[in-house]
Amino acid sequence: MSLPPGQRRVEGFPRFGAGTGRPAPAVPLDPAIKIRGAVAASFAVPLAALATLPRREITADFHCVAGWSATNLQWEGVAFETFYRRFIEPALDPGTAVTHLVFGGLDGHRSVGCLGDALAEDVLIAENLDGHPLGGDHGAPARLVSPRQYGFISTKHLSRIDVHTAEPTDVYRSPAMRVLAPHSRARVWQEERHRYLPAWSLRHVYRLLIPPIRLLNARGSRPRRLG
Ligand SMILES: Nc1nc2c(c(=O)[nH]1)N[C@H]1C(S)=C(S)[C@@H](COP(=O)(O)O)O[C@H]1N2
Ligand SMILES: [Mo]
């Protein structure tokens, strides 16, 4: 199987993210996904409710915008479209035209996607990876997985979804994220890495970031020593 433009295969599936050396956030006793924004009233969907929905399994490659790809991952969970139709759509005020969603994680990571991309048939709220419940490294207790978009869209430790009727402009607002200016659609086969700059101009720069970020993330994945 070929990889999208500018991507290179890595062995295994590294833990990755701007959260650097920090350990994964603790999983709450009764984890839930809070829904806010353009809904009649905010509410929370307990993760336990996912067990009552039709389940979906996909096998897909995973592509980080920095240029690594992990191949042949098996995800199991609930199709995001199923979740959206079951919980979010019924909570909208009549006539509300949703355009974008912001996916928030327990560690503060946030990503923006347009509704159409989020409703693609291979987008999941995943609870299992390769036959095992997600561990801290890969997004316990549940994460978004959108295989045809760069990895930063696939928010781990998913705990919040904000519903929007226009593209929110304040999500990627740290100084680093302003420079990285992620593309609003982030489709890997179209190589939509950066909002303004052509992807080829960034391939080398992004690739330089992979070893230090991998190292920091690997440190954070070690259990904390007691005492
Ligand atoms: N909550 C959260 N989600 C996140 C991140 C993060 O740091 N925190 N990093 C993103 C990035 S940049 C990538 S490439 C993938 C990495 O997923 P992995 O750590 O399971 O390999 O998760 C994305 N989702
Ligand atoms: Mo990434």
Side-chain angles (χ1 to χ4, degrees):
M1 270 269 289
S2 65
L3 292 177
Q7 294 298 113
R8 292 183 190 167
R9 193 181 311 272
V10 282
E11 271 307 309
F13 187 26
R15 176 182 192 239
F16 208 82
T20 58
R22 286 194 291 272
V27 176
L29 234 39
D30 291 306
I33 301 173
K34 294 192 192 82
I35 315 292
R36 317 193 311 186
V39 284
S42 305
F43 61 100
V45 179
L47 279 194
L50 299 187
T52 67
L53 297 180
R55 307 290 297 188
R56 181 151 161 69
E57 200 175 296
I58 60 163
T59 300
D61 298 344
F62 189 95
H63 311 288
C64 171
V65 72
W68 60 264
S69 296
T71 54
N72 214 27
L73 303 175
Q74 203 180 73
W75 301 101
E76 197 274 342
V78 168
F80 182 74
E81 182 176 12
T82 304
F83 181 91
Y84 185 83
R85 305 268 181 237
R86 173 76 175 76
F87 296 113
I88 299 182
E89 213 165 45
L92 301 172
D93 282 323
T96 305
V98 176
T99 61
H100 292 79
L101 301 166
V102 176
F103 300 95
L106 292 167
D107 60 352
H109 178 92
R110 295 202 293 165
S111 65
V112 196
C114 67
L115 181 64
D117 289 335
L119 295 181
E121 46 90 26
D122 56 355
V123 178
L124 298 193
I125 295 178
E127 296 180 285
N128 293 291
L129 167 62
D130 294 333
H132 302 283
L134 284 180
D137 282 358
H138 294 301
R143 77 177 295 170
L144 192 74
V145 178
S146 180
R148 283 181 284 166
Q149 293 179 285
Y150 287 116
F152 65 84
I153 297 286
S154 295
T155 293
K156 302 191 281 188
H157 323 290
L158 182 64
S159 62
R160 223 178 82 182
I161 299 172
D162 295 348
V163 181
H164 291 267
T165 55
E167 185 179 1
T169 54
D170 60 345
V171 174
Y172 302 126
R173 69 192 152 192
S174 70
M177 289 309 270
R178 277 172 200 259
V179 173
L180 294 175
H183 194 283
S184 62
R185 300 210 48 201
R187 292 171 297 178
V188 297
W189 290 95
Q190 282 80 358
E191 206 176 355
E192 294 170 335
R193 294 183 203 271
H194 196 279
R195 187 175 280 257
Y196 312 111
L197 300 172
W200 58 262
S201 69
L202 294 165
R203 284 183 186 172
H204 293 290
V205 184
Y206 281 4
R207 204 163 275 137
L208 290 173
L209 300 173
I210 297 176
I213 295 178
R214 273 190 76 167
L215 185 74
L216 287 166
N217 277 275
R219 277 194 196 144
S221 79
R222 278 186 215 138
R224 259 186 289 199
R225 266 188 292 163
L226 297 174

